[in-house]
């Protein structure tokens, strides 16, 4: 594997190897000295054309803990705001002897295009409404830590599927790892063509959560309502959305005790998720953030040091 552009780049063995490497690296988070040597002398640029808190900082931390030099370039404050094209920006940054570009862009497909122009490693940190493979890996890591093997486990993904690169990458990766996925959303927030995806699709959250519609649930992932990508009325108002699709305290009671609640963040509290669900005993939201660092360390290590290499921790 040269780049990580899509969750579809990962077969079961490769995905499992990344998760296993991440598990070995996870322990570093509780050490006093958080530094391993394998990427010493390597340079990674985080090239972000869209806002980010978790993804950018965790890629930065991951690179630094592996001893790489990490530089952040964002559209604001760069020559992008002077009208430079994506290709010119990418070639300029790559010409500085960079080993890996970690790229987030608001246009679906932009990261794949960029990867065809440069010789260095490219990691997709989210392209438009298309894919976000490292998010899917950290979600799989979190689920595996809670549930063990994902074989035959049933994961509900709920909310704004249309605008969610997280949902797309998760459907691909979770099914690769043997899980069953059900998407639940109002019909207006389901993308066209969703019928061809390898998952169930439903509209009634209570039926899905209680297991009546698609069988018992092992985990539920709530998605953010992505208002910045909406240009029309996808639902009547926020109150109606919360009533139909929010993870309220009453809905939390429908979940089996063992089932974790995930959210990629940032959360709209009171809209897609209640504070009780976000902060309660089912919630693994902060475990996801922690897993993000370990999984990104594993991805950078495997892409830059080589898939055959073992990391000594
Ligand atoms: C997600 C993203 O940017 O796609 N967030 C993230 O990476 N943690 C989901 C979102 O923005 O809602």
């Amino acid at each position: 594997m040269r780049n990580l552009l899509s969750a579809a780049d990962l077969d079961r063995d490769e995905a499992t190897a990344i998760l296993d490497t991440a598990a070995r690296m996870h322990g570093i988070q509780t050490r006093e000295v958080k530094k391993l040597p394998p990427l010493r002398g390597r340079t990674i640029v985080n090239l972000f054309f869209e806002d980010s808190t978790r993804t950018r900082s965790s890629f930065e931390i991951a690179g630094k803990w592996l001893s790489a030099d990490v530089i952040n370039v964002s559209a604001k404050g760069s020559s992008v705001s002077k009208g430079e094209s994506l290709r010119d920006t990418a070639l300029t940054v790559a010409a500085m002897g960079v080993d890996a570009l970690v790229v987030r862009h608001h246009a679906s497909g932009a990261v794949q295009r960029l990867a065809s122009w440069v010789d260095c490693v490219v990691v997709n940190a989210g392209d438009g409404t298309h894919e976000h493979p490292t998010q899917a890996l950290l979600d799989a890591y979190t689920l595996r830590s809670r549930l063990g093997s994902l074989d035959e486990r049933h994961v509900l993904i709920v909310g704004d599927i249309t605008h969610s690169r997280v949902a797309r990458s998760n459907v691909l990766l979770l099914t690769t790892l043997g899980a069953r996925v059900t998407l639940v959303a109002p019909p207006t927030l389901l993308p066209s063509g969703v019928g061809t995806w390898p998952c169930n699709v439903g509209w009634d959250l209570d039926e899905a959560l209680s297991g009546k519609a698609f069988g018992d649930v092992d985990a539920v992932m709530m998605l953010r309502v992505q208002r910045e990508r909406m240009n029309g009325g996808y639902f009547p108002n926020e109150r109606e959305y919360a009533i139909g699709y929010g993870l309220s305290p009453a809905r939390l009671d429908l979940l089996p005790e063992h089932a974790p609640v995930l959210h990629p963040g940032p959360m709209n509290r009171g809209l897609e998720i209640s504070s009780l669900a976000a902060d309660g005993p089912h919630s693994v939201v902060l475990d996801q953030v922690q897993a993000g660092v370990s999984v990104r360390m594993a991805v950078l290590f495997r892409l830059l040091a080589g898939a055959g290499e073992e990391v000594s921790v």
Side-chain angles (χ1 to χ4, degrees), residues 32-72:
E32 201 177 338
V33 179
K34 300 176 183 66
K35 207 76 164 171
L36 300 172
L39 299 188
R40 208 169 37 199
R42 304 301 192 94
T43 304
I44 300 170
V45 172
N46 286 334
L47 189 53
F48 275 57
F49 297 87
E50 215 188 61
D51 295 343
S52 172
T53 303
R54 284 147 268 264
T55 306
R56 205 190 65 179
S57 44
S58 64
F59 265 114
E60 183 174 354
I61 291 170
K64 286 183 169 165
W65 285 0
L66 290 171
S67 302
D69 292 307
V70 185
I71 286 103
N72 292 309

Side-chain angles (χ1 to χ4, degrees), residues 50 54-55 104 132 135 165-166 224 226 229 264-266:
E50 215 188 61
R54 284 147 268 264
T55 306
R104 170 170 285 197
H132 193 354
Q135 177 71 40
R165 50 199 179 205
V166 176
R224 184 172 67 88
Q226 300 199 25
R229 297 192 207 277

